[in-house]
Amino acid sequence: VSSPSETNDKLQKICQLLHDEIPHYNWVGFYFRNGEKEELILGPYVGAETDHTIIPFGKGICGQVAVSNETFVVPDVNLQDNYLSCSIDTKSEIVVPIFKNGQNIGQIDIDSHVIDPFTAEDEQLLNYVCSKVSELV
Ligand code: SME
């Protein structure tokens, strides 16, 4: 069993690896549900600093995934209404939920500087990462 700081180290390394190895992953981070509250808290991430350290359920792409329990691919963020902008460089985003014991406990969030880069391969990879993260947390 890992301590919270060991878990955070592992999550940080996962962010770094994905960010460094996949050219279209320009911001990689985790959000987790804040206990029983209907909000997400920013976890480990790599990329530009963000103002969105707490996201209420329903708000933005992340907040919508907290409610829908489904992966959300946004090919072009400029065409999204319910979107929280972190950086003007971000053009697209994918958010994949993390389930533990059937509960949606958080998500991985990837921002890209290019339009429409995410394919079924990204979804497969990120589903795999999320299943592994679920065993860590
Ligand atoms: N764009 C996200 C907010 C988080 S940042 O991308 C890091 C959203 O709309 O929920």
Side-chain angles (χ1 to χ4, degrees):
V1 176
S2 300
S3 70
S5 81
E6 282 168 345
T7 301
N8 271 346
D9 283 354
K10 289 178 188 167
L11 295 176
Q12 187 72 51
K13 282 183 181 147
I14 292 169
C15 292
Q16 194 71 57
L17 187 70
L18 290 170
H19 175 269
D20 292 351
E21 294 298 325
I22 304 178
H24 59 284
Y25 289 9
N26 300 112
W27 191 98
V28 179
F30 291 98
Y31 283 93
F32 289 101
R33 185 173 185 168
N34 183 11
E36 291 299 305
K37 288 192 195 166
E38 299 210 326
E39 65 183 27
L40 297 163
I41 294 192
L42 180 62
Y45 70 95
V46 169
E49 219 179 292
T50 175
D51 290 338
H52 304 296
T53 53
I54 295 181
I55 299 179
F57 277 25
K59 285 246 176 172
I61 310 304
C62 296
Q64 291 177 77
V65 169
V67 175
S68 73
N69 305 323
E70 280 174 15
T71 293
F72 198 155
V73 180
V74 183
D76 183 347
V77 296
N78 288 317
L79 304 177
Q80 277 294 316
D81 307 326
N82 190 359
Y83 168 70
L84 301 170
S85 173
C86 280
S87 150
I88 52 160
D89 295 324
T90 296
K91 300 289 194 298
S92 57
E93 178 162 8
I94 182 172
V95 178
V96 179
I98 301 167
F99 297 99
K100 193 172 179 81
N101 304 323
Q103 299 287 104
N104 183 346
I105 59 159
Q107 50 196 234
I108 191 165
D109 178 15
I110 316 276
D111 289 354
S112 180
H113 294 174
V114 292
I115 290 183
D116 199 12
F118 300 112
T119 67
E121 264 196 315
D122 293 289
E123 291 199 44
Q124 255 180 25
L125 169 67
L126 296 171
N127 279 331
Y128 175 76
V129 170
C130 286
S131 71
K132 287 290 165 191
V133 167
S134 160
E135 295 167 14
L136 282 177
V137 294

PDB file of all heavy atoms in Angstrom, residues 100-134:
ATOM      1  N   LYS A 100     -13.331   3.333  -9.897  1.00  0.00           N
ATOM      2  CA  LYS A 100     -12.868   2.384  -8.877  1.00  0.00           C
ATOM      3  C   LYS A 100     -14.105   1.781  -8.214  1.00  0.00           C
ATOM      4  O   LYS A 100     -14.976   2.533  -7.756  1.00  0.00           O
ATOM      5  CB  LYS A 100     -11.980   3.095  -7.853  1.00  0.00           C
ATOM      6  CG  LYS A 100     -11.228   2.115  -6.967  1.00  0.00           C
ATOM      7  CD  LYS A 100     -10.196   2.811  -6.090  1.00  0.00           C
ATOM      8  CE  LYS A 100      -9.475   1.813  -5.212  1.00  0.00           C
ATOM      9  NZ  LYS A 100      -8.391   1.086  -5.869  1.00  0.00           N
ATOM     10  N   ASN A 101     -14.164   0.470  -8.187  1.00  0.00           N
ATOM     11  CA  ASN A 101     -15.349  -0.228  -7.663  1.00  0.00           C
ATOM     12  C   ASN A 101     -16.638   0.329  -8.268  1.00  0.00           C
ATOM     13  O   ASN A 101     -17.622   0.556  -7.560  1.00  0.00           O
ATOM     14  CB  ASN A 101     -15.398  -0.122  -6.132  1.00  0.00           C
ATOM     15  CG  ASN A 101     -14.135  -0.660  -5.489  1.00  0.00           C
ATOM     16  OD1 ASN A 101     -13.571  -1.656  -5.964  1.00  0.00           O
ATOM     17  ND2 ASN A 101     -13.653  -0.009  -4.433  1.00  0.00           N
ATOM     18  N   GLY A 102     -16.575   0.598  -9.565  1.00  0.00           N
ATOM     19  CA  GLY A 102     -17.769   1.069 -10.270  1.00  0.00           C
ATOM     20  C   GLY A 102     -18.099   2.536 -10.085  1.00  0.00           C
ATOM     21  O   GLY A 102     -19.039   3.049 -10.686  1.00  0.00           O
ATOM     22  N   GLN A 103     -17.323   3.235  -9.240  1.00  0.00           N
ATOM     23  CA  GLN A 103     -17.572   4.658  -8.987  1.00  0.00           C
ATOM     24  C   GLN A 103     -16.632   5.516  -9.826  1.00  0.00           C
ATOM     25  O   GLN A 103     -15.436   5.208  -9.932  1.00  0.00           O
ATOM     26  CB  GLN A 103     -17.318   5.003  -7.514  1.00  0.00           C
ATOM     27  CG  GLN A 103     -18.185   4.270  -6.527  1.00  0.00           C
ATOM     28  CD  GLN A 103     -19.612   4.792  -6.549  1.00  0.00           C
ATOM     29  OE1 GLN A 103     -20.507   4.146  -7.097  1.00  0.00           O
ATOM     30  NE2 GLN A 103     -19.806   5.988  -6.012  1.00  0.00           N
ATOM     31  N   ASN A 104     -17.160   6.594 -10.367  1.00  0.00           N
ATOM     32  CA  ASN A 104     -16.353   7.575 -11.095  1.00  0.00           C
ATOM     33  C   ASN A 104     -15.603   8.434 -10.071  1.00  0.00           C
ATOM     34  O   ASN A 104     -16.187   9.297  -9.420  1.00  0.00           O
ATOM     35  CB  ASN A 104     -17.276   8.429 -11.958  1.00  0.00           C
ATOM     36  CG  ASN A 104     -16.534   9.439 -12.815  1.00  0.00           C
ATOM     37  OD1 ASN A 104     -15.367   9.706 -12.609  1.00  0.00           O
ATOM     38  ND2 ASN A 104     -17.244  10.024 -13.763  1.00  0.00           N
ATOM     39  N   ILE A 105     -14.303   8.167  -9.897  1.00  0.00           N
ATOM     40  CA  ILE A 105     -13.533   8.833  -8.833  1.00  0.00           C
ATOM     41  C   ILE A 105     -12.686   9.981  -9.341  1.00  0.00           C
ATOM     42  O   ILE A 105     -12.092  10.721  -8.557  1.00  0.00           O
ATOM     43  CB  ILE A 105     -12.612   7.828  -8.100  1.00  0.00           C
ATOM     44  CG1 ILE A 105     -11.628   7.166  -9.083  1.00  0.00           C
ATOM     45  CG2 ILE A 105     -13.434   6.801  -7.344  1.00  0.00           C
ATOM     46  CD1 ILE A 105     -10.401   6.582  -8.396  1.00  0.00           C
ATOM     47  N   GLY A 106     -12.580  10.114 -10.655  1.00  0.00           N
ATOM     48  CA  GLY A 106     -11.751  11.189 -11.197  1.00  0.00           C
ATOM     49  C   GLY A 106     -11.530  10.976 -12.673  1.00  0.00           C
ATOM     50  O   GLY A 106     -12.310  10.275 -13.329  1.00  0.00           O
ATOM     51  N   GLN A 107     -10.477  11.579 -13.168  1.00  0.00           N
ATOM     52  CA  GLN A 107     -10.278  11.545 -14.621  1.00  0.00           C
ATOM     53  C   GLN A 107      -8.857  11.958 -14.987  1.00  0.00           C
ATOM     54  O   GLN A 107      -8.166  12.598 -14.202  1.00  0.00           O
ATOM     55  CB  GLN A 107     -11.254  12.509 -15.274  1.00  0.00           C
ATOM     56  CG  GLN A 107     -11.229  13.880 -14.620  1.00  0.00           C
ATOM     57  CD  GLN A 107     -12.428  14.749 -14.954  1.00  0.00           C
ATOM     58  OE1 GLN A 107     -12.255  15.865 -15.409  1.00  0.00           O
ATOM     59  NE2 GLN A 107     -13.630  14.254 -14.700  1.00  0.00           N
ATOM     60  N   ILE A 108      -8.474  11.532 -16.191  1.00  0.00           N
ATOM     61  CA  ILE A 108      -7.260  12.100 -16.772  1.00  0.00           C
ATOM     62  C   ILE A 108      -7.708  13.093 -17.837  1.00  0.00           C
ATOM     63  O   ILE A 108      -8.683  12.857 -18.561  1.00  0.00           O
ATOM     64  CB  ILE A 108      -6.314  11.011 -17.330  1.00  0.00           C
ATOM     65  CG1 ILE A 108      -4.950  11.608 -17.680  1.00  0.00           C
ATOM     66  CG2 ILE A 108      -6.915  10.269 -18.524  1.00  0.00           C
ATOM     67  CD1 ILE A 108      -3.854  10.571 -17.888  1.00  0.00           C
ATOM     68  N   ASP A 109      -7.004  14.212 -17.870  1.00  0.00           N
ATOM     69  CA  ASP A 109      -7.348  15.304 -18.790  1.00  0.00           C
ATOM     70  C   ASP A 109      -6.115  15.606 -19.641  1.00  0.00           C
ATOM     71  O   ASP A 109      -5.022  15.816 -19.099  1.00  0.00           O
ATOM     72  CB  ASP A 109      -7.739  16.537 -17.961  1.00  0.00           C
ATOM     73  CG  ASP A 109      -8.068  17.745 -18.813  1.00  0.00           C
ATOM     74  OD1 ASP A 109      -8.278  17.590 -20.036  1.00  0.00           O
ATOM     75  OD2 ASP A 109      -8.128  18.860 -18.238  1.00  0.00           O
ATOM     76  N   ILE A 110      -6.281  15.582 -20.958  1.00  0.00           N
ATOM     77  CA  ILE A 110      -5.188  15.906 -21.876  1.00  0.00           C
ATOM     78  C   ILE A 110      -5.610  17.081 -22.739  1.00  0.00           C
ATOM     79  O   ILE A 110      -6.697  17.051 -23.340  1.00  0.00           O
ATOM     80  CB  ILE A 110      -4.879  14.725 -22.841  1.00  0.00           C
ATOM     81  CG1 ILE A 110      -4.860  13.386 -22.117  1.00  0.00           C
ATOM     82  CG2 ILE A 110      -3.622  15.032 -23.654  1.00  0.00           C
ATOM     83  CD1 ILE A 110      -3.599  13.001 -21.453  1.00  0.00           C
ATOM     84  N   ASP A 111      -4.754  18.087 -22.801  1.00  0.00           N
ATOM     85  CA  ASP A 111      -4.963  19.213 -23.726  1.00  0.00           C
ATOM     86  C   ASP A 111      -3.911  19.137 -24.822  1.00  0.00           C
ATOM     87  O   ASP A 111      -2.762  18.755 -24.571  1.00  0.00           O
ATOM     88  CB  ASP A 111      -4.790  20.558 -23.015  1.00  0.00           C
ATOM     89  CG  ASP A 111      -5.910  20.871 -22.052  1.00  0.00           C
ATOM     90  OD1 ASP A 111      -6.890  20.107 -21.996  1.00  0.00           O
ATOM     91  OD2 ASP A 111      -5.790  21.890 -21.342  1.00  0.00           O
ATOM     92  N   SER A 112      -4.314  19.545 -26.024  1.00  0.00           N
ATOM     93  CA  SER A 112      -3.382  19.541 -27.152  1.00  0.00           C
ATOM     94  C   SER A 112      -3.359  20.901 -27.826  1.00  0.00           C
ATOM     95  O   SER A 112      -4.371  21.613 -27.857  1.00  0.00           O
ATOM     96  CB  SER A 112      -3.803  18.473 -28.160  1.00  0.00           C
ATOM     97  OG  SER A 112      -2.904  18.470 -29.240  1.00  0.00           O
ATOM     98  N   HIS A 113      -2.227  21.217 -28.389  1.00  0.00           N
ATOM     99  CA  HIS A 113      -2.073  22.484 -29.112  1.00  0.00           C
ATOM    100  C   HIS A 113      -2.492  22.370 -30.569  1.00  0.00           C
ATOM    101  O   HIS A 113      -2.396  23.336 -31.317  1.00  0.00           O
ATOM    102  CB  HIS A 113      -0.628  22.987 -29.026  1.00  0.00           C
ATOM    103  CG  HIS A 113      -0.208  23.375 -27.639  1.00  0.00           C
ATOM    104  ND1 HIS A 113       1.085  23.735 -27.311  1.00  0.00           N
ATOM    105  CD2 HIS A 113      -0.926  23.470 -26.482  1.00  0.00           C
ATOM    106  CE1 HIS A 113       1.148  24.031 -26.025  1.00  0.00           C
ATOM    107  NE2 HIS A 113      -0.051  23.869 -25.500  1.00  0.00           N
ATOM    108  N   VAL A 114      -2.898  21.171 -30.976  1.00  0.00           N
ATOM    109  CA  VAL A 114      -3.367  20.999 -32.355  1.00  0.00           C
ATOM    110  C   VAL A 114      -4.857  20.637 -32.370  1.00  0.00           C
ATOM    111  O   VAL A 114      -5.396  20.124 -31.389  1.00  0.00           O
ATOM    112  CB  VAL A 114      -2.540  19.939 -33.134  1.00  0.00           C
ATOM    113  CG1 VAL A 114      -1.130  20.434 -33.363  1.00  0.00           C
ATOM    114  CG2 VAL A 114      -2.534  18.600 -32.433  1.00  0.00           C
ATOM    115  N   ILE A 115      -5.485  20.938 -33.489  1.00  0.00           N
ATOM    116  CA  ILE A 115      -6.911  20.644 -33.638  1.00  0.00           C
ATOM    117  C   ILE A 115      -7.100  19.185 -34.055  1.00  0.00           C
ATOM    118  O   ILE A 115      -6.371  18.683 -34.911  1.00  0.00           O
ATOM    119  CB  ILE A 115      -7.550  21.607 -34.676  1.00  0.00           C
ATOM    120  CG1 ILE A 115      -7.613  23.025 -34.091  1.00  0.00           C
ATOM    121  CG2 ILE A 115      -8.939  21.138 -35.091  1.00  0.00           C
ATOM    122  CD1 ILE A 115      -8.270  24.044 -34.982  1.00  0.00           C
ATOM    123  N   ASP A 116      -8.055  18.535 -33.394  1.00  0.00           N
ATOM    124  CA  ASP A 116      -8.520  17.194 -33.760  1.00  0.00           C
ATOM    125  C   ASP A 116      -7.413  16.120 -33.846  1.00  0.00           C
ATOM    126  O   ASP A 116      -7.336  15.398 -34.846  1.00  0.00           O
ATOM    127  CB  ASP A 116      -9.263  17.275 -35.110  1.00  0.00           C
ATOM    128  CG  ASP A 116     -10.162  16.060 -35.335  1.00  0.00           C
ATOM    129  OD1 ASP A 116     -10.379  15.292 -34.378  1.00  0.00           O
ATOM    130  OD2 ASP A 116     -10.616  15.877 -36.481  1.00  0.00           O
ATOM    131  N   PRO A 117      -6.586  15.979 -32.798  1.00  0.00           N
ATOM    132  CA  PRO A 117      -5.500  14.990 -32.864  1.00  0.00           C
ATOM    133  C   PRO A 117      -5.885  13.620 -32.288  1.00  0.00           C
ATOM    134  O   PRO A 117      -5.153  12.655 -32.472  1.00  0.00           O
ATOM    135  CB  PRO A 117      -4.429  15.611 -31.976  1.00  0.00           C
ATOM    136  CG  PRO A 117      -5.233  16.288 -30.903  1.00  0.00           C
ATOM    137  CD  PRO A 117      -6.505  16.757 -31.557  1.00  0.00           C
ATOM    138  N   PHE A 118      -6.999  13.553 -31.556  1.00  0.00           N
ATOM    139  CA  PHE A 118      -7.259  12.356 -30.748  1.00  0.00           C
ATOM    140  C   PHE A 118      -7.999  11.288 -31.545  1.00  0.00           C
ATOM    141  O   PHE A 118      -9.010  11.567 -32.192  1.00  0.00           O
ATOM    142  CB  PHE A 118      -8.048  12.719 -29.485  1.00  0.00           C
ATOM    143  CG  PHE A 118      -7.330  13.692 -28.597  1.00  0.00           C
ATOM    144  CD1 PHE A 118      -7.808  14.981 -28.429  1.00  0.00           C
ATOM    145  CD2 PHE A 118      -6.151  13.337 -27.967  1.00  0.00           C
ATOM    146  CE1 PHE A 118      -7.146  15.896 -27.620  1.00  0.00           C
ATOM    147  CE2 PHE A 118      -5.470  14.239 -27.157  1.00  0.00           C
ATOM    148  CZ  PHE A 118      -5.973  15.523 -26.987  1.00  0.00           C
ATOM    149  N   THR A 119      -7.453  10.060 -31.498  1.00  0.00           N
ATOM    150  CA  THR A 119      -8.024   8.940 -32.240  1.00  0.00           C
ATOM    151  C   THR A 119      -8.441   7.841 -31.262  1.00  0.00           C
ATOM    152  O   THR A 119      -8.227   7.958 -30.046  1.00  0.00           O
ATOM    153  CB  THR A 119      -6.975   8.345 -33.203  1.00  0.00           C
ATOM    154  OG1 THR A 119      -5.935   7.750 -32.411  1.00  0.00           O
ATOM    155  CG2 THR A 119      -6.383   9.410 -34.108  1.00  0.00           C
ATOM    156  N   ALA A 120      -8.959   6.759 -31.831  1.00  0.00           N
ATOM    157  CA  ALA A 120      -9.330   5.594 -31.016  1.00  0.00           C
ATOM    158  C   ALA A 120      -8.111   5.048 -30.271  1.00  0.00           C
ATOM    159  O   ALA A 120      -8.250   4.490 -29.176  1.00  0.00           O
ATOM    160  CB  ALA A 120      -9.945   4.516 -31.899  1.00  0.00           C
ATOM    161  N   GLU A 121      -6.925   5.222 -30.844  1.00  0.00           N
ATOM    162  CA  GLU A 121      -5.696   4.775 -30.166  1.00  0.00           C
ATOM    163  C   GLU A 121      -5.466   5.525 -28.867  1.00  0.00           C
ATOM    164  O   GLU A 121      -5.030   4.942 -27.873  1.00  0.00           O
ATOM    165  CB  GLU A 121      -4.481   5.030 -31.074  1.00  0.00           C
ATOM    166  CG  GLU A 121      -4.041   3.845 -31.882  1.00  0.00           C
ATOM    167  CD  GLU A 121      -2.637   4.043 -32.436  1.00  0.00           C
ATOM    168  OE1 GLU A 121      -2.359   5.155 -32.964  1.00  0.00           O
ATOM    169  OE2 GLU A 121      -1.841   3.103 -32.326  1.00  0.00           O
ATOM    170  N   ASP A 122      -5.715   6.836 -28.897  1.00  0.00           N
ATOM    171  CA  ASP A 122      -5.573   7.622 -27.667  1.00  0.00           C
ATOM    172  C   ASP A 122      -6.567   7.119 -26.620  1.00  0.00           C
ATOM    173  O   ASP A 122      -6.221   6.978 -25.444  1.00  0.00           O
ATOM    174  CB  ASP A 122      -5.827   9.104 -27.950  1.00  0.00           C
ATOM    175  CG  ASP A 122      -4.763   9.701 -28.844  1.00  0.00           C
ATOM    176  OD1 ASP A 122      -3.627   9.863 -28.375  1.00  0.00           O
ATOM    177  OD2 ASP A 122      -5.061   9.982 -30.029  1.00  0.00           O
ATOM    178  N   GLU A 123      -7.777   6.883 -27.055  1.00  0.00           N
ATOM    179  CA  GLU A 123      -8.802   6.418 -26.109  1.00  0.00           C
ATOM    180  C   GLU A 123      -8.397   5.093 -25.483  1.00  0.00           C
ATOM    181  O   GLU A 123      -8.548   4.889 -24.273  1.00  0.00           O
ATOM    182  CB  GLU A 123     -10.160   6.291 -26.800  1.00  0.00           C
ATOM    183  CG  GLU A 123     -10.735   7.645 -27.166  1.00  0.00           C
ATOM    184  CD  GLU A 123     -12.242   7.589 -27.429  1.00  0.00           C
ATOM    185  OE1 GLU A 123     -12.961   6.941 -26.647  1.00  0.00           O
ATOM    186  OE2 GLU A 123     -12.673   8.181 -28.434  1.00  0.00           O
ATOM    187  N   GLN A 124      -7.850   4.196 -26.329  1.00  0.00           N
ATOM    188  CA  GLN A 124      -7.401   2.892 -25.829  1.00  0.00           C
ATOM    189  C   GLN A 124      -6.285   3.044 -24.813  1.00  0.00           C
ATOM    190  O   GLN A 124      -6.317   2.451 -23.731  1.00  0.00           O
ATOM    191  CB  GLN A 124      -6.851   2.066 -26.989  1.00  0.00           C
ATOM    192  CG  GLN A 124      -7.774   0.979 -27.454  1.00  0.00           C
ATOM    193  CD  GLN A 124      -7.166   0.200 -28.607  1.00  0.00           C
ATOM    194  OE1 GLN A 124      -5.942   0.149 -28.768  1.00  0.00           O
ATOM    195  NE2 GLN A 124      -8.008  -0.399 -29.416  1.00  0.00           N
ATOM    196  N   LEU A 125      -5.297   3.840 -25.170  1.00  0.00           N
ATOM    197  CA  LEU A 125      -4.165   4.073 -24.274  1.00  0.00           C
ATOM    198  C   LEU A 125      -4.637   4.667 -22.955  1.00  0.00           C
ATOM    199  O   LEU A 125      -4.245   4.220 -21.871  1.00  0.00           O
ATOM    200  CB  LEU A 125      -3.158   5.020 -24.951  1.00  0.00           C
ATOM    201  CG  LEU A 125      -2.054   5.550 -24.043  1.00  0.00           C
ATOM    202  CD1 LEU A 125      -1.124   4.427 -23.612  1.00  0.00           C
ATOM    203  CD2 LEU A 125      -1.262   6.655 -24.737  1.00  0.00           C
ATOM    204  N   LEU A 126      -5.490   5.682 -23.044  1.00  0.00           N
ATOM    205  CA  LEU A 126      -5.902   6.389 -21.828  1.00  0.00           C
ATOM    206  C   LEU A 126      -6.841   5.529 -20.978  1.00  0.00           C
ATOM    207  O   LEU A 126      -6.801   5.607 -19.743  1.00  0.00           O
ATOM    208  CB  LEU A 126      -6.509   7.745 -22.180  1.00  0.00           C
ATOM    209  CG  LEU A 126      -5.502   8.687 -22.847  1.00  0.00           C
ATOM    210  CD1 LEU A 126      -6.188   9.940 -23.373  1.00  0.00           C
ATOM    211  CD2 LEU A 126      -4.356   9.054 -21.909  1.00  0.00           C
ATOM    212  N   ASN A 127      -7.637   4.692 -21.618  1.00  0.00           N
ATOM    213  CA  ASN A 127      -8.451   3.740 -20.841  1.00  0.00           C
ATOM    214  C   ASN A 127      -7.552   2.794 -20.058  1.00  0.00           C
ATOM    215  O   ASN A 127      -7.820   2.485 -18.891  1.00  0.00           O
ATOM    216  CB  ASN A 127      -9.358   2.915 -21.770  1.00  0.00           C
ATOM    217  CG  ASN A 127     -10.605   3.662 -22.168  1.00  0.00           C
ATOM    218  OD1 ASN A 127     -11.098   4.512 -21.429  1.00  0.00           O
ATOM    219  ND2 ASN A 127     -11.125   3.344 -23.346  1.00  0.00           N
ATOM    220  N   TYR A 128      -6.472   2.373 -20.707  1.00  0.00           N
ATOM    221  CA  TYR A 128      -5.516   1.495 -20.044  1.00  0.00           C
ATOM    222  C   TYR A 128      -4.869   2.221 -18.861  1.00  0.00           C
ATOM    223  O   TYR A 128      -4.785   1.676 -17.745  1.00  0.00           O
ATOM    224  CB  TYR A 128      -4.458   1.016 -21.042  1.00  0.00           C
ATOM    225  CG  TYR A 128      -3.369   0.202 -20.413  1.00  0.00           C
ATOM    226  CD1 TYR A 128      -3.591  -1.125 -20.038  1.00  0.00           C
ATOM    227  CD2 TYR A 128      -2.119   0.764 -20.164  1.00  0.00           C
ATOM    228  CE1 TYR A 128      -2.589  -1.864 -19.429  1.00  0.00           C
ATOM    229  CE2 TYR A 128      -1.118   0.026 -19.556  1.00  0.00           C
ATOM    230  CZ  TYR A 128      -1.350  -1.281 -19.190  1.00  0.00           C
ATOM    231  OH  TYR A 128      -0.369  -2.007 -18.582  1.00  0.00           O
ATOM    232  N   VAL A 129      -4.416   3.441 -19.101  1.00  0.00           N
ATOM    233  CA  VAL A 129      -3.787   4.235 -18.029  1.00  0.00           C
ATOM    234  C   VAL A 129      -4.773   4.399 -16.863  1.00  0.00           C
ATOM    235  O   VAL A 129      -4.410   4.202 -15.695  1.00  0.00           O
ATOM    236  CB  VAL A 129      -3.330   5.613 -18.562  1.00  0.00           C
ATOM    237  CG1 VAL A 129      -2.906   6.533 -17.423  1.00  0.00           C
ATOM    238  CG2 VAL A 129      -2.185   5.446 -19.563  1.00  0.00           C
ATOM    239  N   CYS A 130      -6.015   4.720 -17.189  1.00  0.00           N
ATOM    240  CA  CYS A 130      -7.007   4.935 -16.126  1.00  0.00           C
ATOM    241  C   CYS A 130      -7.267   3.658 -15.331  1.00  0.00           C
ATOM    242  O   CYS A 130      -7.443   3.711 -14.112  1.00  0.00           O
ATOM    243  CB  CYS A 130      -8.311   5.476 -16.709  1.00  0.00           C
ATOM    244  SG  CYS A 130      -8.178   7.203 -17.202  1.00  0.00           S
ATOM    245  N   SER A 131      -7.247   2.511 -16.006  1.00  0.00           N
ATOM    246  CA  SER A 131      -7.469   1.259 -15.276  1.00  0.00           C
ATOM    247  C   SER A 131      -6.301   0.978 -14.336  1.00  0.00           C
ATOM    248  O   SER A 131      -6.488   0.489 -13.215  1.00  0.00           O
ATOM    249  CB  SER A 131      -7.707   0.093 -16.237  1.00  0.00           C
ATOM    250  OG  SER A 131      -6.510  -0.249 -16.900  1.00  0.00           O
ATOM    251  N   LYS A 132      -5.090   1.330 -14.769  1.00  0.00           N
ATOM    252  CA  LYS A 132      -3.913   1.157 -13.901  1.00  0.00           C
ATOM    253  C   LYS A 132      -3.958   2.149 -12.734  1.00  0.00           C
ATOM    254  O   LYS A 132      -3.628   1.793 -11.593  1.00  0.00           O
ATOM    255  CB  LYS A 132      -2.620   1.373 -14.705  1.00  0.00           C
ATOM    256  CG  LYS A 132      -2.313   0.233 -15.648  1.00  0.00           C
ATOM    257  CD  LYS A 132      -1.913  -0.987 -14.848  1.00  0.00           C
ATOM    258  CE  LYS A 132      -1.935  -2.253 -15.665  1.00  0.00           C
ATOM    259  NZ  LYS A 132      -1.792  -3.454 -14.830  1.00  0.00           N
ATOM    260  N   VAL A 133      -4.332   3.392 -13.023  1.00  0.00           N
ATOM    261  CA  VAL A 133      -4.409   4.411 -11.967  1.00  0.00           C
ATOM    262  C   VAL A 133      -5.443   4.001 -10.913  1.00  0.00           C
ATOM    263  O   VAL A 133      -5.236   4.194  -9.713  1.00  0.00           O
ATOM    264  CB  VAL A 133      -4.743   5.797 -12.569  1.00  0.00           C
ATOM    265  CG1 VAL A 133      -5.142   6.789 -11.485  1.00  0.00           C
ATOM    266  CG2 VAL A 133      -3.546   6.320 -13.357  1.00  0.00           C
ATOM    267  N   SER A 134      -6.503   3.408 -11.365  1.00  0.00           N
ATOM    268  CA  SER A 134      -7.551   2.951 -10.453  1.00  0.00           C
ATOM    269  C   SER A 134      -7.001   1.964  -9.411  1.00  0.00           C
ATOM    270  O   SER A 134      -7.470   1.927  -8.269  1.00  0.00           O
ATOM    271  CB  SER A 134      -8.654   2.315 -11.292  1.00  0.00           C
ATOM    272  OG  SER A 134      -9.444   1.472 -10.535  1.00  0.00           O
TER     273      SER A 134
END
